[in-house]
Structures are given as structure tokens and as C-alpha cells.
Amino acid sequence: MFTSTSLAAGAALISLAAGSPVERQALKFTYYDLTTPLASPCDITTGQDGKIYADTFTSNKIVQIDRSTGSLTEYDIPYTLPVLGNDVLPSDLQGRVALSCVVQPGKDGLIYAAAGVRNEFVRFNPETNETKVFPTGNPLGNLQPFNDAWPGETGMFFSQTTGNVINLFDYATTNVQTFEVPTPLAGPLGMIVASDGALWFCEMLANKIGRLNATDGTFKEYPLPLSLATPSVMRAETEGRYLWFTAIATNAIGRFDIQTGETKTFTDPRLLATPIEDTVDSQGNIWYSTLTRNTLNYLTPSTGKVTTIAQPDGDLEILPGLLPSLPPAADIAMHYEPSDNSIWFSELVNNRIGKYSI
Ligand SMILES: *[C@@H]1O[C@H](CO)[C@@H](O)[C@H](O)[C@H]1NC(C)=O
Ligand SMILES: *[C@@H]1O[C@H](CO)[C@@H](O)[C@H](O)[C@H]1NC(C)=O
């Protein structure tokens, strides 16, 4: 177990002098181990109850962390459908794997998660601990573990990447509305309801940013420059007009202006850092996870500077900044929690959730 006490002890051992920058940084991290082995925590959010929620990539669990006590609880998801099209997985994982990687808080106080290859939508009630599973209505929709969600006023939006649709799950009726993305095989993935009230989303395979007006069902689409290929996750807005997204293939963070449609590219200076998720802090910094680097990273929009913070897990950085960390922790989630100015992140390979106090 990585408690803050053992972290402090470890940091004291590796730092040359008490109070060194390494030690001070390490003390800002707290880790929460999952209880299910190899559960692989993926996405993270905060519920209206102030608790942290995570979903897991390779087990059927919703994870809850009570920030006041530090206790971590796992709740089973009673999936009803068998895994589809998933022959590459080892047999002992068949039957429990969901490959899901999105959890979001509904405006109804419930917690929503999508279920990857299970092609089901999950709703957890923090008051009763009850988990319900709903079909997504599209048998081909989630055959890959790529989908995302974002709370709207009347329901939860979610994307079915391989089904090429955006859905809206009504909080009150549980009915699912389906909106077909105009560009075929666009690969709709990351999404955010922006300050203009529209749902904006990444078309990962079509290299476009899309806009959906769910009231009248109309779409607009904006092609991206080559420097922002494979737009993936978009969970940050600044200044009431800029949307920020990760561009995995080009190792970049993109900025999209919802007023003019203009873009700006901010490339991570490290080779193949592989940005995955992003979030914005109270200062307007864009934090993002990197799959191949054991660092937390943030971009300062006014200067374009990328700042990296090493995760204190003793991983070997042979040529820091040049080669990927060994072994990579496979950081996926990057979630800002304003109430205590902290960043929450998942280390998929290390089966734990981390908190960094800014
Ligand atoms: C929900 O689960 C938590 C953790 O096990 C428990 O403390 C709480 O009493 C449960 N609530 C209900 C309504 O069962
Ligand atoms: C959506 O369309 C309706 C009807 O055309 C319009 O009244 C509304 O302002 C639009 N909403 C957004 C967010 O664009």
C-alpha cells in the first residue's frame, strides 16, 4: 500500500537533502489502491455527493472514494449482455471484461458509465448503492472501448464511436435519443457541453470537431489541420470560447474557438508522449495525461509552456523527456477537483488512483 506515510519515507530515502524539490513534490501525491486485482482504473469524475468515482477497464466495477475518510469501495455492475467480438482477450478475462472508460456525474445526482464492448449503459445511485444497466439500442455501437459521455441539462450525452452516433439518455424517462453523425465513420468520441449550450465533440477518425444542437438535431462539422489528427478527448473550456482536446496521433493539445472555428496547436515536446484526457484547473491551465510518460502535465495557454510533474513511483527514466518511462503506468484519467484544488489520475497498469494536491 502506498500511503502518504510510506510515500514520505520513500521520498526521504531518495532525496539528497531534506526539503529537496523531489521530496516536496512527492508529498503532494496520495495513492488509492483498487481491491480487485488487475481491475485497471480508467476514467475518473466527482459525484454531486463530493465522492470520487472511477470505472475500470478490465473488471465489472464502479469505484468510489470517500475523500473525507480516504476509503475506497467497489460496486459490482450486473451486466446482462455477453462480451461481443472480443476474441483477442485471454479466456479468464472473458465474461468479466467490459473495456469501459467513461464515468460522468448526471445532473440528477446519479453516476453514469458506459460499458465498452458490453454495449450497455450503466447508472449508479449513490444513495441506494444500486447499479442499473441499460441497452444502448445499437448492437454495433460500442464494439471498441472508445466512447465518452457528458452531462446535459435533461440527460446524459454519450458517443458510440463505432456506431457513428451521439446518444442522449433522458434522466427522467431513461429513453435514449439517437443522432447520426453526418460524416460516415467519423468516430465520435470525446465531448463537452460548452457555454453556448451545444454539445461539441471530437470526430476521431474524420479529424473534425462536431457541434450538435440536440434541440433541433442539427449538426455542424469543422475540419481540423493535420497537426491535430485523431482528436480524442475534449473536457476543457476556457474564456467562454476555447475548447481544448487531445490529439493522440500528433502528440498535441488542440484549441478550438467556438466563435470563429479557428484552431491552435500545442505540441508536447516529448516524443510520443501520447496525450489521452484533459481537464482545466481554476487558473485556466490545461492538464492532460500521457499514456507513455509517468508524469502529470499541464499547458499554460498564455505562454504555450508545458510543465511536467514526475509521479513518485520510482520508475526508471533512462533519458528523462526523451524515452518513455519504464514501465509506463499507462495514465488515462486526468480530472480536476476544484473544492480542494487537486488533480485525480488513474494508473491503469499499477491498478491505482492517484491524487495530486496542486
Ligand atoms: C452503500 O455502501 C457503502 C459502502 O459499503 C455503505 O457504507 C453504505 O451504508 C451503503 N448504503 C446503502 C444504502 O446500502
Ligand atoms: C438549437 O436550435 C433551436 C431551434 O432552431 C434554437 O432555438 C436554439 O437556440 C439552438 N440551440 C443551440 C445551443 O444552438
Side-chain angles (χ1 to χ4, degrees):
M1 269 265 294
F2 241 128
T3 62
S4 41
T5 321
S6 64
L7 262 180
L13 282 177
I14 58 170
S15 66
L16 298 174
S20 76
V22 172
E23 182 179 7
R24 285 201 305 273
Q25 275 300 352
L27 287 169
K28 293 178 160 191
F29 284 85
T30 312
Y31 280 104
Y32 303 85
D33 291 304
L34 269 64
T35 44
T36 301
L38 304 175
S40 319
C42 207
D43 197 20
I44 298 176
T45 195
T46 311
Q48 279 184 8
D49 57 359
K51 291 178 177 150
I52 295 292
Y53 289 89
D55 70 344
T56 60
F57 199 59
T58 47
S59 77
N60 300 335
K61 306 280 183 187
I62 295 272
V63 179
Q64 181 190 57
I65 298 173
D66 184 333
R67 290 190 291 149
S68 57
T69 64
S71 69
L72 181 149
T73 310
E74 295 178 358
Y75 300 93
D76 285 326
I77 299 172
Y79 288 117
T80 56
L81 293 178
V83 172
L84 301 170
N86 210 14
D87 300 331
V88 293
L89 291 167
S91 57
D92 60 335
L93 290 180
Q94 293 279 358
R96 76 183 187 105
V97 151
L99 302 187
S100 52
C101 196
V102 55
V103 61
Q104 288 290 325
K107 301 224 168 175
D108 56 355
L110 307 183
I111 300 297
Y112 290 81
V117 291
R118 292 281 193 184
N119 196 30
E120 289 173 310
F121 205 58
V122 177
R123 189 175 75 179
F124 174 76
N125 185 333
E127 277 183 7
T128 62
N129 293 346
E130 189 191 12
T131 307
K132 268 196 179 161
V133 169
F134 301 88
T136 59
N138 183 347
L140 295 178
N142 284 341
L143 284 179
Q144 292 179 54
F146 295 126
N147 37 49
D148 204 4
W150 195 265
E153 291 303 322
T154 61
M156 181 64 66
F157 288 101
F158 64 98
S159 52
Q160 299 198 51
T161 310
T162 49
N164 209 40
V165 296
I166 304 284
N167 292 99
L168 179 57
F169 178 99
D170 191 291
Y171 299 134
T173 66
T174 77
N175 286 340
V176 176
Q177 242 181 305
T178 298
F179 304 92
E180 224 168 289
V181 177
T183 302
L185 303 176
L189 180 56
M191 50 174 58
I192 184 171
V193 175
S195 53
D196 65 350
L199 180 79
W200 291 84
F201 61 98
C202 295
E203 298 186 9
M204 184 177 61
L205 304 178
N207 293 332
K208 293 178 184 174
I209 297 295
R211 179 189 196 271
L212 167 65
N213 179 340
T215 308
D216 66 5
T218 53
F219 281 90
K220 279 187 192 156
E221 294 174 297
Y222 301 81
L224 291 172
L226 285 178
S227 57
L228 290 170
T230 59
S232 301
V233 175
M234 182 159 67
R235 291 187 174 175
E237 178 179 357
T238 58
E239 299 172 56
R241 68 189 288 183
Y242 297 124
L243 303 183
W244 299 82
F245 58 94
T246 57
I248 294 181
T250 55
N251 203 35
I253 301 297
R255 191 187 80 176
F256 181 87
D257 185 339
I258 62 174
Q259 292 174 10
T260 64
E262 280 168 340
T263 58
K264 197 166 173 184
T265 303
F266 299 85
T267 307
D268 190 304
R270 300 163 298 171
L271 196 66
L272 298 176
T274 319
I276 304 289
E277 280 197 3
D278 66 357
T279 188
V280 58
D281 72 15
S282 59
Q283 305 297 308
N285 293 312
I286 309 302
W287 292 72
Y288 60 98
S289 56
T290 39
L291 188 69
T292 68
R293 308 290 169 148
N294 298 345
T295 57
L296 310 184
N297 323 285
Y298 66 88
L299 173 72
T300 304
S302 57
T303 60
K305 183 172 181 273
V306 172
T307 306
T308 62
I309 299 159
Q311 290 158 227
D313 37 18
D315 291 311
L316 214 52
E317 287 241 35
I318 297 176
L319 290 171
L322 195 58
L323 292 176
S325 307
L326 288 175
D331 292 2
I332 305 283
M334 190 61 43
H335 170 66
Y336 179 64
E337 171 47 45
S339 65
D340 60 0
N341 201 30
S342 57
I343 290 286
W344 292 74
F345 59 99
S346 59
E347 295 183 5
L348 190 132
V349 168
N350 296 334
N351 207 36
R352 62 186 185 176
I353 290 169
K355 172 191 171 187
Y356 176 76
S357 299
I358 301 175

